[in-house]
C-alpha cells in the first residue's frame, strides 16, 4: 500500500475568532488532545496556543492503509481584534473544542451617551 498524501493539510488547530459587544471569543478545534496538553498565552493583542497531539502506540500486527490523524507539537498565534482583560479570561474544553472568552478592555467597549433635553 502507498501512504496517502495530503497536500495543504496543516497540523495547526483550526480557529474561529469572533467578538460581541463585551468580549472576544476564540474557539479552537483540538480533537484527541487533553486540556492539560495545551498552553494559552496572551501578549498585547496576540493570543498563542501551544500544545502537542500525542501519537497512540503502534498496533502490533497491523498495516495502516490511511493514517491522517495529527501528531506532534503545534504553536498557533492569532491577533485579537481589540484589547482584552487577560486577568478575567476564561477557558473551557469540551468535546474537542477549546473555547477562550476574553472580556474586552473597558476602554474599547462601546459606550452609550444619554442626551439631556433642556
Amino acid at each position: 500500500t502507498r501512504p496517502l498524501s495530503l497536500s495543504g493539510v496543516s497540523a495547526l488547530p483550526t480557529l474561529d475568532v469572533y467578538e460581541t459587544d463585551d468580549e472576544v471569543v476564540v474557539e479552537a478545534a483540538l480533537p484527541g488532545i487533553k486540556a492539560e496538553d495545551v498552553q494559552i498565552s496572551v501578549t498585547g493583542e496576540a493570543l498563542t496556543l501551544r500544545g502537542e497531539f500525542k501519537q497512540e502506540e503502534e498496533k502490533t500486527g497491523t498495516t495502516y492503509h490511511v493514517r491522517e490523524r495529527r501528531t506532534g507539537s503545534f504553536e498557533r498565534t492569532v491577533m485579537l481584534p481589540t484589547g482584552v482583560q487577560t486577568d478575567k479570561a476564561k477557558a473551557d474544553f469540551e468535546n474537542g473544542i477549546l473555547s477562550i472568552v476574553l472580556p474586552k478592555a473597558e476602554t474599547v467597549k462601546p459606550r452609550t451617551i444619554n442626551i439631556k433635553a433642556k
Side-chain angles (χ1 to χ4, degrees):
T1 60
R2 289 184 289 144
L4 180 64
S5 174
L6 296 174
S7 62
V9 173
S10 172
L12 297 175
T14 56
L15 299 178
D16 289 339
V17 180
Y18 60 91
E19 66 180 295
T20 66
D21 286 343
D22 296 322
E23 56 199 17
V24 174
V25 179
V26 177
E27 295 176 336
L30 297 168
I33 199 166
K34 295 179 182 174
E36 59 266 19
D37 293 331
V38 179
Q39 296 85 44
I40 305 165
S41 62
V42 178
T43 304
E45 291 181 5
L47 180 135
T48 300
L49 297 176
R50 288 182 190 85
E52 184 174 359
F53 291 101
K54 296 189 177 174
Q55 183 167 348
E56 292 181 10
E57 292 182 23
E58 294 278 335
K59 294 174 178 45
T60 307
T62 60
T63 301
Y64 285 92
H65 296 280
V66 177
R67 192 158 192 185
E68 297 178 351
R69 291 174 41 195
R70 300 179 264 190
T71 60
S73 61
F74 65 86
E75 181 174 317
R76 175 105 193 246
T77 299
V78 63
M79 295 306 294
L80 300 173
T82 188
V84 295
Q85 300 178 57
T86 57
D87 59 327
K88 296 182 180 177
K90 296 181 290 183
D92 294 307
F93 195 68
E94 185 176 353
N95 297 325
I97 302 295
L98 173 64
S99 297
I100 307 161
V101 178
L102 304 137
K104 287 183 179 179
E106 290 296 323
T107 57
V108 298
K109 284 187 183 178
R111 303 249 188 244
T112 302
I113 300 172
N114 295 322
I115 301 170
K116 292 183 183 178
K118 291 187 178 187

